[in-house]
Amino acid sequence: DTGVSQDPRHKITKRGQNVTFRCDPISEHNRLYWYRQTLGQGPEFLTYFQNEAQLEKSRLLSDRFSAERPKGSFSTLEIQRTEQGDSAMYLCASGRVAGADTQYFGPGTRLTVL
Amino acid sequence: AQSVTQLGSHVSVSEGALVLLRCNYSSSVPPYLFWYVQYPNQGLQLLLKYTSAATLVKGINGFEAEFKKSETSFHLTKPSAHMSDAAEYFCAVSEGTGGFKTIFGAGTRLFVKA
């Protein structure tokens, strides 16, 4: 396993701009999760995919947020019209259905909205 | 609904001393429980997990945790702290049995003094 990778690692943007993050899970992991983590807090669940199907979205995820996993492999998280409150670390994790809910995390993308 | 409470946002120990990080959970179904560690600017790494097998779970780096259903606790311990243990530790609970949503605690930052 090469591990979960995320790109970019850091993103600085101006308020109102759109940003897109990519997550490449461990190969053959059919579950993929997105979390948001702010300073001093644990990860907050955003959304979850099983294969290409998005099965759950948190109420934290406003209409400005969208996530896709078109072929059941990599996933993208897009934030439209960014706000300063979107500044956070965005974490991706992957796992297997038979993996007792164990999640393997990527290094995260740190977003700073100016 | 599930929840996790980590008692103490900061814990400081001397090198060689016992490490005890406290976690209490709430779950309406038999839970899966996890401890993750996070080093600065990195993603989370799984330390250990409880999935309804043995109540005393051993993890990496000499850590272990004991599941106590009567106390709804899953405290993390290590007999002798090392400087490299300084990090943020997160306790997490999931529904298990095929459930996917994992709830994380707010984290406990461990400081290790020389």
Side-chain angles (χ1 to χ4, degrees):
Chain A
D1 289 335
T2 57
V4 178
S5 62
Q6 292 187 246
D7 184 67
R9 294 290 307 276
H10 303 274
K11 179 70 176 179
I12 300 174
T13 191
K14 293 182 179 180
R15 189 176 51 187
Q17 297 295 303
N18 299 344
V19 294
T20 299
F21 308 142
R22 177 179 170 124
C23 171
D24 286 90
I26 294 171
S27 59
E28 298 179 358
H29 276 190
N30 45 17
R31 289 183 166 180
L32 189 146
Y33 311 77
W34 285 99
Y35 292 88
R36 181 172 64 191
Q37 186 180 23
T38 53
L39 198 62
Q41 297 297 317
E44 294 177 291
F45 172 80
L46 292 179
T47 191
Y48 158 74
F49 290 85
Q50 184 157 311
N51 299 312
E52 65 273 14
Q54 187 174 20
L55 298 185
E56 178 85 1
K57 281 179 65 171
S58 166
R59 282 169 287 183
L60 293 173
L61 222 59
S62 75
D63 292 343
R64 297 183 297 105
F65 287 71
S66 63
E68 294 182 340
R69 194 183 184 197
K71 297 182 179 179
S73 57
F74 74 91
S75 175
T76 58
L77 177 68
E78 180 183 18
I79 309 174
Q80 296 182 326
R81 305 181 303 282
T82 53
E83 301 172 355
Q84 287 186 326
D86 297 332
S87 295
M89 176 77 87
Y90 290 84
L91 295 167
C92 175
S94 69
R96 295 180 294 116
V97 171
D101 294 354
T102 300
Q103 297 176 36
Y104 298 85
F105 282 81
T109 294
R110 181 167 296 284
L111 173 65
T112 302
V113 182
L114 302 176
Chain B
Q2 296 173 302
S3 66
V4 175
T5 302
Q6 292 186 239
L7 301 175
S9 58
H10 297 83
V11 170
S12 181
V13 301
S14 298
E15 192 173 22
L18 172 72
V19 176
L20 171 60
L21 305 182
R22 299 177 188 273
C23 172
N24 288 90
Y25 71 92
S26 172
S27 178
S28 57
V29 298
Y32 287 176
L33 294 159
F34 307 83
W35 276 99
Y36 286 87
V37 61
Q38 186 177 35
Y39 297 99
N41 298 314
Q42 294 186 26
L44 280 70
Q45 179 184 7
L46 180 70
L47 276 178
L48 49 81
K49 63 183 178 184
Y50 166 79
T51 58
S52 75
T55 56
L56 182 62
V57 181
K58 294 187 183 298
I60 61 171
N61 301 339
F63 285 94
E64 63 181 35
E66 186 172 10
F67 172 69
K68 292 187 177 180
K69 184 178 179 180
S70 60
E71 299 177 8
T72 61
S73 70
F74 190 58
H75 302 331
L76 182 70
T77 61
K78 181 175 180 178
S80 177
H82 191 272
M83 297 296 289
S84 61
D85 295 327
E88 187 94 23
Y89 291 81
F90 294 95
C91 181
V93 61
S94 77
E95 294 173 345
T97 59
F100 58 85
K101 193 168 183 176
T102 300
I103 305 299
F104 286 82
T108 297
R109 181 163 294 278
L110 176 66
F111 297 92
V112 181
K113 299 175 292 186

CSV table of all heavy atoms in Angstrom, one decimal, chain A residues 9-10 31 33 35 37 40-45 48 55-56 89 91 99-108 110, chain B residues 32 34 36 38 41-46 49 51 88 90 94-107:
chain,number,residue,atom,x,y,z
A,9,ARG,N,-1.2,20.0,-0.8
A,9,ARG,CA,-1.0,19.9,0.7
A,9,ARG,C,-1.4,21.2,1.3
A,9,ARG,O,-1.9,21.3,2.5
A,9,ARG,CB,0.4,19.6,1.0
A,9,ARG,CG,0.9,18.2,0.6
A,9,ARG,CD,0.2,17.1,1.5
A,9,ARG,NE,0.3,17.3,2.9
A,9,ARG,CZ,1.4,17.0,3.6
A,9,ARG,NH1,2.4,16.3,3.0
A,9,ARG,NH2,1.5,17.2,4.9
A,10,HIS,N,-1.2,22.3,0.6
A,10,HIS,CA,-1.6,23.6,1.1
A,10,HIS,C,-2.2,24.4,0.0
A,10,HIS,O,-1.8,24.3,-1.2
A,10,HIS,CB,-0.3,24.4,1.6
A,10,HIS,CG,0.5,23.7,2.6
A,10,HIS,ND1,0.2,23.8,4.0
A,10,HIS,CD2,1.5,22.8,2.5
A,10,HIS,CE1,1.0,23.0,4.6
A,10,HIS,NE2,1.9,22.5,3.8
A,31,ARG,N,-14.2,2.3,0.6
A,31,ARG,CA,-14.8,3.4,1.4
A,31,ARG,C,-13.9,4.6,1.3
A,31,ARG,O,-12.7,4.4,1.4
A,31,ARG,CB,-15.1,2.9,2.8
A,31,ARG,CG,-16.2,1.9,3.0
A,31,ARG,CD,-16.4,1.6,4.4
A,31,ARG,NE,-17.7,0.9,4.7
A,31,ARG,CZ,-18.1,0.5,5.8
A,31,ARG,NH1,-17.4,0.8,6.9
A,31,ARG,NH2,-19.3,-0.1,5.9
A,33,TYR,N,-13.8,8.7,2.8
A,33,TYR,CA,-14.4,9.7,3.8
A,33,TYR,C,-13.7,11.1,3.6
A,33,TYR,O,-12.5,11.1,3.4
A,33,TYR,CB,-14.2,9.3,5.2
A,33,TYR,CG,-14.5,7.9,5.5
A,33,TYR,CD1,-13.7,6.8,5.2
A,33,TYR,CD2,-15.7,7.6,6.2
A,33,TYR,CE1,-14.0,5.5,5.5
A,33,TYR,CE2,-16.0,6.3,6.6
A,33,TYR,CZ,-15.2,5.2,6.2
A,33,TYR,OH,-15.5,3.9,6.5
A,35,TYR,N,-13.2,14.6,5.9
A,35,TYR,CA,-13.4,15.3,7.2
A,35,TYR,C,-12.8,16.7,7.1
A,35,TYR,O,-12.0,17.0,6.3
A,35,TYR,CB,-12.6,14.6,8.3
A,35,TYR,CG,-13.1,13.2,8.6
A,35,TYR,CD1,-12.7,12.1,7.9
A,35,TYR,CD2,-14.0,13.0,9.7
A,35,TYR,CE1,-13.1,10.8,8.3
A,35,TYR,CE2,-14.5,11.7,10.0
A,35,TYR,CZ,-14.0,10.6,9.3
A,35,TYR,OH,-14.5,9.4,9.6
A,37,GLN,N,-11.1,19.5,9.8
A,37,GLN,CA,-10.5,19.7,11.1
A,37,GLN,C,-10.0,21.1,11.3
A,37,GLN,O,-9.2,21.6,10.6
A,37,GLN,CB,-9.3,18.7,11.3
A,37,GLN,CG,-8.7,18.7,12.7
A,37,GLN,CD,-7.6,17.7,12.9
A,37,GLN,OE1,-6.9,17.4,11.9
A,37,GLN,NE2,-7.3,17.3,14.1
A,40,GLY,N,-7.4,22.7,17.2
A,40,GLY,CA,-7.8,22.3,18.5
A,40,GLY,C,-9.0,21.4,18.6
A,40,GLY,O,-9.5,21.1,19.6
A,41,GLN,N,-9.5,20.9,17.4
A,41,GLN,CA,-10.6,20.0,17.4
A,41,GLN,C,-10.3,18.7,16.7
A,41,GLN,O,-9.3,18.6,15.9
A,41,GLN,CB,-11.8,20.7,16.6
A,41,GLN,CG,-12.3,22.0,17.2
A,41,GLN,CD,-12.9,21.8,18.6
A,41,GLN,OE1,-13.6,20.8,18.8
A,41,GLN,NE2,-12.5,22.6,19.6
A,42,GLY,N,-11.1,17.7,16.9
A,42,GLY,CA,-11.0,16.5,16.2
A,42,GLY,C,-11.6,16.6,14.8
A,42,GLY,O,-12.3,17.6,14.5
A,43,PRO,N,-11.4,15.7,14.0
A,43,PRO,CA,-12.0,15.7,12.6
A,43,PRO,C,-13.5,15.6,12.7
A,43,PRO,O,-14.1,14.9,13.5
A,43,PRO,CB,-11.4,14.4,12.0
A,43,PRO,CG,-10.2,14.1,12.7
A,43,PRO,CD,-10.4,14.5,14.1
A,44,GLU,N,-14.1,16.4,11.9
A,44,GLU,CA,-15.6,16.4,11.7
A,44,GLU,C,-16.0,15.8,10.4
A,44,GLU,O,-15.5,16.2,9.4
A,44,GLU,CB,-16.2,17.9,11.8
A,44,GLU,CG,-16.0,18.6,13.1
A,44,GLU,CD,-16.5,20.0,13.0
A,44,GLU,OE1,-15.8,20.8,12.3
A,44,GLU,OE2,-17.5,20.3,13.6
A,45,PHE,N,-16.9,14.8,10.5
A,45,PHE,CA,-17.3,14.1,9.3
A,45,PHE,C,-18.0,15.0,8.3
A,45,PHE,O,-18.9,15.8,8.7
A,45,PHE,CB,-18.3,13.0,9.7
A,45,PHE,CG,-19.0,12.3,8.6
A,45,PHE,CD1,-18.3,11.3,7.9
A,45,PHE,CD2,-20.3,12.6,8.3
A,45,PHE,CE1,-18.9,10.6,6.9
A,45,PHE,CE2,-20.9,11.9,7.3
A,45,PHE,CZ,-20.2,10.9,6.6
A,48,TYR,N,-19.2,10.7,2.9
A,48,TYR,CA,-18.7,9.3,2.8
A,48,TYR,C,-19.2,8.7,1.5
A,48,TYR,O,-20.3,8.9,1.0
A,48,TYR,CB,-19.3,8.5,4.0
A,48,TYR,CG,-19.4,7.0,3.8
A,48,TYR,CD1,-18.2,6.3,3.9
A,48,TYR,CD2,-20.6,6.4,3.6
A,48,TYR,CE1,-18.3,4.9,3.7
A,48,TYR,CE2,-20.7,5.0,3.5
A,48,TYR,CZ,-19.5,4.3,3.5
A,48,TYR,OH,-19.6,2.9,3.4
A,55,LEU,N,-23.0,8.1,0.1
A,55,LEU,CA,-24.1,7.6,0.9
A,55,LEU,C,-24.5,8.5,2.0
A,55,LEU,O,-25.6,8.3,2.6
A,55,LEU,CB,-23.7,6.2,1.5
A,55,LEU,CG,-23.4,5.1,0.4
A,55,LEU,CD1,-23.1,3.8,1.2
A,55,LEU,CD2,-24.6,5.0,-0.5
A,56,GLU,N,-23.7,9.5,2.4
A,56,GLU,CA,-24.0,10.3,3.5
A,56,GLU,C,-23.3,11.7,3.3
A,56,GLU,O,-22.2,11.7,3.0
A,56,GLU,CB,-23.6,9.7,4.8
A,56,GLU,CG,-23.9,10.5,6.1
A,56,GLU,CD,-25.3,10.3,6.6
A,56,GLU,OE1,-26.1,9.6,6.0
A,56,GLU,OE2,-25.6,11.0,7.6
A,89,MET,N,-8.2,22.3,7.9
A,89,MET,CA,-7.5,21.1,7.3
A,89,MET,C,-8.6,20.2,6.8
A,89,MET,O,-9.5,19.8,7.6
A,89,MET,CB,-6.6,20.4,8.4
A,89,MET,CG,-5.9,19.2,7.8
A,89,MET,SD,-4.5,19.6,6.8
A,89,MET,CE,-3.2,19.7,8.1
A,91,LEU,N,-9.3,16.5,5.6
A,91,LEU,CA,-8.7,15.2,5.6
A,91,LEU,C,-9.5,14.2,4.8
A,91,LEU,O,-10.7,14.3,4.9
A,91,LEU,CB,-8.6,14.7,7.1
A,91,LEU,CG,-7.7,15.5,8.0
A,91,LEU,CD1,-7.9,15.1,9.5
A,91,LEU,CD2,-6.2,15.3,7.7
A,99,GLY,N,-13.3,-4.0,6.9
A,99,GLY,CA,-12.1,-3.5,7.6
A,99,GLY,C,-12.4,-3.0,9.0
A,99,GLY,O,-11.7,-2.2,9.6
A,100,ALA,N,-13.6,-3.4,9.6
A,100,ALA,CA,-14.0,-3.0,10.9
A,100,ALA,C,-13.9,-1.5,11.1
A,100,ALA,O,-13.5,-1.0,12.2
A,100,ALA,CB,-13.1,-3.7,12.0
A,101,ASP,N,-14.3,-0.8,10.1
A,101,ASP,CA,-14.4,0.7,10.2
A,101,ASP,C,-13.1,1.3,10.3
A,101,ASP,O,-13.0,2.5,10.6
A,101,ASP,CB,-15.3,1.1,11.3
A,101,ASP,CG,-16.8,0.7,11.0
A,101,ASP,OD1,-17.0,0.2,9.9
A,101,ASP,OD2,-17.6,0.9,11.8
A,102,THR,N,-11.9,0.6,10.2
A,102,THR,CA,-10.6,1.3,10.3
A,102,THR,C,-10.4,2.2,9.1
A,102,THR,O,-10.7,1.8,8.0
A,102,THR,CB,-9.5,0.2,10.3
A,102,THR,OG1,-9.7,-0.7,11.4
A,102,THR,CG2,-8.2,0.9,10.5
A,103,GLN,N,-10.0,3.4,9.4
A,103,GLN,CA,-9.8,4.4,8.4
A,103,GLN,C,-8.3,4.8,8.3
A,103,GLN,O,-7.7,4.9,9.4
A,103,GLN,CB,-10.7,5.6,8.7
A,103,GLN,CG,-12.1,5.3,8.6
A,103,GLN,CD,-13.0,6.5,8.9
A,103,GLN,OE1,-12.7,7.6,8.6
A,103,GLN,NE2,-14.1,6.2,9.6
A,104,TYR,N,-7.8,4.9,7.1
A,104,TYR,CA,-6.4,5.2,6.9
A,104,TYR,C,-6.4,6.6,6.3
A,104,TYR,O,-7.0,6.9,5.3
A,104,TYR,CB,-5.8,4.2,5.9
A,104,TYR,CG,-5.8,2.8,6.5
A,104,TYR,CD1,-6.9,2.0,6.4
A,104,TYR,CD2,-4.7,2.4,7.2
A,104,TYR,CE1,-6.8,0.7,6.9
A,104,TYR,CE2,-4.6,1.1,7.8
A,104,TYR,CZ,-5.7,0.3,7.6
A,104,TYR,OH,-5.7,-1.0,8.1
A,105,PHE,N,-5.8,7.5,7.0
A,105,PHE,CA,-5.9,9.0,6.7
A,105,PHE,C,-4.7,9.4,5.8
A,105,PHE,O,-3.6,9.0,5.9
A,105,PHE,CB,-5.8,9.8,8.0
A,105,PHE,CG,-7.2,9.8,8.7
A,105,PHE,CD1,-7.5,8.8,9.5
A,105,PHE,CD2,-8.0,10.9,8.5
A,105,PHE,CE1,-8.8,8.8,10.2
A,105,PHE,CE2,-9.3,10.9,9.2
A,105,PHE,CZ,-9.6,9.8,10.0
A,106,GLY,N,-5.0,10.4,5.0
A,106,GLY,CA,-4.0,11.1,4.2
A,106,GLY,C,-3.4,12.2,5.0
A,106,GLY,O,-3.9,12.5,6.1
A,107,PRO,N,-2.5,12.9,4.5
A,107,PRO,CA,-1.8,14.0,5.2
A,107,PRO,C,-2.6,15.3,5.3
A,107,PRO,O,-2.3,16.1,6.1
A,107,PRO,CB,-0.5,14.2,4.4
A,107,PRO,CG,-0.9,13.8,3.0
A,107,PRO,CD,-1.9,12.7,3.2
A,108,GLY,N,-3.7,15.4,4.5
A,108,GLY,CA,-4.6,16.5,4.6
A,108,GLY,C,-4.2,17.6,3.7
A,108,GLY,O,-3.0,17.7,3.2
A,110,ARG,N,-4.3,21.7,3.8
A,110,ARG,CA,-4.6,22.9,4.6
A,110,ARG,C,-5.1,24.1,3.8
A,110,ARG,O,-4.3,24.5,2.9
A,110,ARG,CB,-3.4,23.3,5.4
A,110,ARG,CG,-3.7,24.5,6.4
A,110,ARG,CD,-2.6,24.7,7.4
A,110,ARG,NE,-2.5,23.7,8.3
A,110,ARG,CZ,-3.3,23.4,9.4
A,110,ARG,NH1,-4.4,24.2,9.5
A,110,ARG,NH2,-3.1,22.4,10.2
B,32,TYR,N,-17.5,0.2,17.9
B,32,TYR,CA,-16.1,0.0,17.6
B,32,TYR,C,-15.4,1.3,18.2
B,32,TYR,O,-15.9,2.4,18.0
B,32,TYR,CB,-15.8,-0.1,16.1
B,32,TYR,CG,-16.3,-1.4,15.5
B,32,TYR,CD1,-16.1,-1.6,14.1
B,32,TYR,CD2,-16.8,-2.5,16.2
B,32,TYR,CE1,-16.5,-2.8,13.5
B,32,TYR,CE2,-17.2,-3.7,15.6
B,32,TYR,CZ,-17.0,-3.8,14.3
B,32,TYR,OH,-17.4,-5.0,13.7
B,34,PHE,N,-11.6,3.5,18.7
B,34,PHE,CA,-10.3,3.7,18.1
B,34,PHE,C,-9.6,4.7,18.9
B,34,PHE,O,-10.1,5.6,19.5
B,34,PHE,CB,-10.5,4.1,16.7
B,34,PHE,CG,-11.3,3.3,15.8
B,34,PHE,CD1,-12.7,3.4,15.8
B,34,PHE,CD2,-10.8,2.3,15.0
B,34,PHE,CE1,-13.5,2.6,15.0
B,34,PHE,CE2,-11.6,1.5,14.2
B,34,PHE,CZ,-12.9,1.7,14.2
B,36,TYR,N,-6.4,7.3,17.7
B,36,TYR,CA,-5.5,7.7,16.6
B,36,TYR,C,-4.5,8.7,17.2
B,36,TYR,O,-4.8,9.4,18.1
B,36,TYR,CB,-6.3,8.4,15.5
B,36,TYR,CG,-7.1,7.5,14.6
B,36,TYR,CD1,-8.4,7.1,15.0
B,36,TYR,CD2,-6.6,7.1,13.4
B,36,TYR,CE1,-9.2,6.3,14.1
B,36,TYR,CE2,-7.4,6.2,12.6
B,36,TYR,CZ,-8.7,5.9,12.9
B,36,TYR,OH,-9.4,5.1,12.1
B,38,GLN,N,-1.9,12.0,16.0
B,38,GLN,CA,-1.6,13.0,15.0
B,38,GLN,C,-0.4,13.8,15.3
B,38,GLN,O,-0.4,14.5,16.4
B,38,GLN,CB,-2.8,13.9,14.7
B,38,GLN,CG,-2.7,14.8,13.5
B,38,GLN,CD,-3.9,15.6,13.3
B,38,GLN,OE1,-4.6,16.0,14.2
B,38,GLN,NE2,-4.2,15.9,12.0
B,41,ASN,N,1.0,18.8,11.5
B,41,ASN,CA,0.8,18.9,10.0
B,41,ASN,C,0.8,17.6,9.3
B,41,ASN,O,1.2,17.5,8.2
B,41,ASN,CB,2.0,19.8,9.5
B,41,ASN,CG,1.9,21.2,10.0
B,41,ASN,OD1,0.9,21.8,10.1
B,41,ASN,ND2,3.1,21.7,10.5
B,42,GLN,N,0.3,16.6,10.0
B,42,GLN,CA,0.2,15.3,9.4
B,42,GLN,C,-1.3,14.8,9.6
B,42,GLN,O,-2.0,15.3,10.4
B,42,GLN,CB,1.2,14.3,10.0
B,42,GLN,CG,2.6,14.6,9.7
B,42,GLN,CD,3.5,13.5,10.2
B,42,GLN,OE1,3.2,12.3,10.3
B,42,GLN,NE2,4.8,13.9,10.5
B,43,GLY,N,-1.6,13.7,8.8
B,43,GLY,CA,-2.9,13.1,9.0
B,43,GLY,C,-2.8,12.2,10.3
B,43,GLY,O,-1.9,12.2,11.0
B,44,LEU,N,-4.0,11.5,10.5
B,44,LEU,CA,-4.1,10.7,11.7
B,44,LEU,C,-3.6,9.3,11.4
B,44,LEU,O,-3.8,8.7,10.3
B,44,LEU,CB,-5.5,10.6,12.1
B,44,LEU,CG,-6.1,11.8,12.9
B,44,LEU,CD1,-6.2,13.0,12.1
B,44,LEU,CD2,-7.4,11.4,13.5
B,45,GLN,N,-2.9,8.7,12.4
B,45,GLN,CA,-2.4,7.3,12.3
B,45,GLN,C,-3.1,6.4,13.4
B,45,GLN,O,-3.2,6.8,14.5
B,45,GLN,CB,-0.9,7.3,12.5
B,45,GLN,CG,-0.3,5.9,12.5
B,45,GLN,CD,1.2,5.9,12.8
B,45,GLN,OE1,1.8,7.0,13.1
B,45,GLN,NE2,1.9,4.8,12.6
B,46,LEU,N,-3.6,5.3,13.0
B,46,LEU,CA,-4.3,4.4,13.9
B,46,LEU,C,-3.3,3.8,14.9
B,46,LEU,O,-2.2,3.2,14.5
B,46,LEU,CB,-5.0,3.3,13.1
B,46,LEU,CG,-5.7,2.3,14.0
B,46,LEU,CD1,-6.9,2.9,14.6
B,46,LEU,CD2,-6.1,1.0,13.2
B,49,LYS,N,-7.4,-0.5,18.0
B,49,LYS,CA,-8.9,-0.5,17.8
B,49,LYS,C,-9.5,-1.6,18.6
B,49,LYS,O,-8.9,-2.6,18.8
B,49,LYS,CB,-9.3,-0.6,16.3
B,49,LYS,CG,-8.8,-1.9,15.7
B,49,LYS,CD,-9.2,-1.9,14.2
B,49,LYS,CE,-8.7,-3.2,13.6
B,49,LYS,NZ,-9.0,-3.2,12.1
B,51,THR,N,-12.9,-4.0,18.6
B,51,THR,CA,-14.0,-4.4,17.7
B,51,THR,C,-14.8,-5.6,18.3
B,51,THR,O,-15.2,-6.5,17.6
B,51,THR,CB,-13.5,-4.8,16.3
B,51,THR,OG1,-12.5,-5.8,16.5
B,51,THR,CG2,-12.9,-3.6,15.6
B,88,GLU,N,-0.8,14.8,19.4
B,88,GLU,CA,-2.2,14.9,19.7
B,88,GLU,C,-2.9,13.5,19.5
B,88,GLU,O,-2.6,12.8,18.5
B,88,GLU,CB,-2.9,15.9,18.7
B,88,GLU,CG,-4.4,16.2,19.0
B,88,GLU,CD,-4.5,17.5,19.8
B,88,GLU,OE1,-3.6,18.3,19.8
B,88,GLU,OE2,-5.5,17.6,20.5
B,90,PHE,N,-6.5,11.2,19.5
B,90,PHE,CA,-7.9,11.3,19.3
B,90,PHE,C,-8.5,9.9,19.6
B,90,PHE,O,-8.1,8.9,19.0
B,90,PHE,CB,-8.3,11.7,17.9
B,90,PHE,CG,-7.8,13.1,17.6
B,90,PHE,CD1,-6.6,13.4,17.0
B,90,PHE,CD2,-8.6,14.2,17.9
B,90,PHE,CE1,-6.2,14.7,16.7
B,90,PHE,CE2,-8.3,15.5,17.6
B,90,PHE,CZ,-7.0,15.7,17.0
B,94,SER,N,-17.3,4.3,16.4
B,94,SER,CA,-18.2,4.1,15.2
B,94,SER,C,-19.2,3.1,15.5
B,94,SER,O,-19.2,2.4,16.5
B,94,SER,CB,-17.4,3.7,14.0
B,94,SER,OG,-17.0,2.3,14.1
B,95,GLU,N,-20.2,3.0,14.7
B,95,GLU,CA,-21.4,2.2,14.9
B,95,GLU,C,-21.0,0.7,14.9
B,95,GLU,O,-21.7,-0.2,15.4
B,95,GLU,CB,-22.5,2.5,14.0
B,95,GLU,CG,-23.1,3.9,14.1
B,95,GLU,CD,-24.1,4.2,13.1
B,95,GLU,OE1,-24.1,3.5,12.0
B,95,GLU,OE2,-24.9,5.1,13.2
B,96,GLY,N,-19.9,0.4,14.1
B,96,GLY,CA,-19.6,-1.0,13.9
B,96,GLY,C,-20.6,-1.7,13.1
B,96,GLY,O,-21.6,-1.1,12.6
B,97,THR,N,-20.5,-3.0,13.1
B,97,THR,CA,-21.5,-3.9,12.4
B,97,THR,C,-21.9,-3.3,11.0
B,97,THR,O,-23.1,-3.3,10.7
B,97,THR,CB,-22.7,-4.2,13.2
B,97,THR,OG1,-23.4,-3.0,13.6
B,97,THR,CG2,-22.3,-4.9,14.5
B,98,GLY,N,-21.0,-2.7,10.3
B,98,GLY,CA,-21.3,-2.2,9.0
B,98,GLY,C,-21.6,-0.7,9.0
B,98,GLY,O,-21.7,-0.1,7.9
B,99,GLY,N,-21.7,-0.1,10.1
B,99,GLY,CA,-21.9,1.3,10.1
B,99,GLY,C,-20.7,2.0,9.7
B,99,GLY,O,-19.6,1.5,9.8
B,100,PHE,N,-20.8,3.2,9.2
B,100,PHE,CA,-19.6,3.9,8.6
B,100,PHE,C,-19.3,5.2,9.3
B,100,PHE,O,-18.2,5.7,9.2
B,100,PHE,CB,-19.9,4.2,7.2
B,100,PHE,CG,-21.1,5.1,7.0
B,100,PHE,CD1,-21.0,6.5,7.1
B,100,PHE,CD2,-22.4,4.6,6.7
B,100,PHE,CE1,-22.1,7.3,6.9
B,100,PHE,CE2,-23.5,5.4,6.6
B,100,PHE,CZ,-23.4,6.7,6.7
B,101,LYS,N,-20.2,5.8,10.0
B,101,LYS,CA,-19.9,7.1,10.5
B,101,LYS,C,-19.1,7.0,11.8
B,101,LYS,O,-19.4,6.3,12.8
B,101,LYS,CB,-21.2,7.8,10.8
B,101,LYS,CG,-21.1,9.3,11.1
B,101,LYS,CD,-22.4,10.0,11.1
B,101,LYS,CE,-22.3,11.5,11.2
B,101,LYS,NZ,-23.6,12.1,11.1
B,102,THR,N,-17.9,7.7,11.8
B,102,THR,CA,-17.0,7.7,13.0
B,102,THR,C,-17.1,9.1,13.6
B,102,THR,O,-16.9,10.1,12.9
B,102,THR,CB,-15.6,7.3,12.5
B,102,THR,OG1,-15.7,6.0,11.9
B,102,THR,CG2,-14.7,7.3,13.7
B,103,ILE,N,-17.2,9.1,14.9
B,103,ILE,CA,-17.2,10.4,15.6
B,103,ILE,C,-15.9,10.5,16.4
B,103,ILE,O,-15.6,9.5,17.2
B,103,ILE,CB,-18.4,10.4,16.6
B,103,ILE,CG1,-19.7,10.2,15.8
B,103,ILE,CG2,-18.4,11.8,17.3
B,103,ILE,CD1,-20.0,11.3,14.7
B,104,PHE,N,-15.2,11.6,16.3
B,104,PHE,CA,-14.0,11.8,17.0
B,104,PHE,C,-14.2,12.7,18.2
B,104,PHE,O,-15.0,13.6,18.2
B,104,PHE,CB,-13.0,12.4,16.0
B,104,PHE,CG,-12.4,11.5,15.0
B,104,PHE,CD1,-13.2,11.2,13.8
B,104,PHE,CD2,-11.2,10.9,15.2
B,104,PHE,CE1,-12.7,10.4,12.9
B,104,PHE,CE2,-10.7,10.0,14.2
B,104,PHE,CZ,-11.4,9.8,13.1
B,105,GLY,N,-13.4,12.5,19.2
B,105,GLY,CA,-13.3,13.4,20.3
B,105,GLY,C,-12.5,14.6,19.9
B,105,GLY,O,-11.9,14.7,18.8
B,106,ALA,N,-12.4,15.6,20.8
B,106,ALA,CA,-11.8,16.8,20.6
B,106,ALA,C,-10.2,16.7,20.6
B,106,ALA,O,-9.5,17.7,20.2
B,106,ALA,CB,-12.3,17.9,21.5
B,107,GLY,N,-9.8,15.6,21.2
B,107,GLY,CA,-8.3,15.4,21.2
B,107,GLY,C,-7.7,15.8,22.5
B,107,GLY,O,-8.2,16.6,23.3
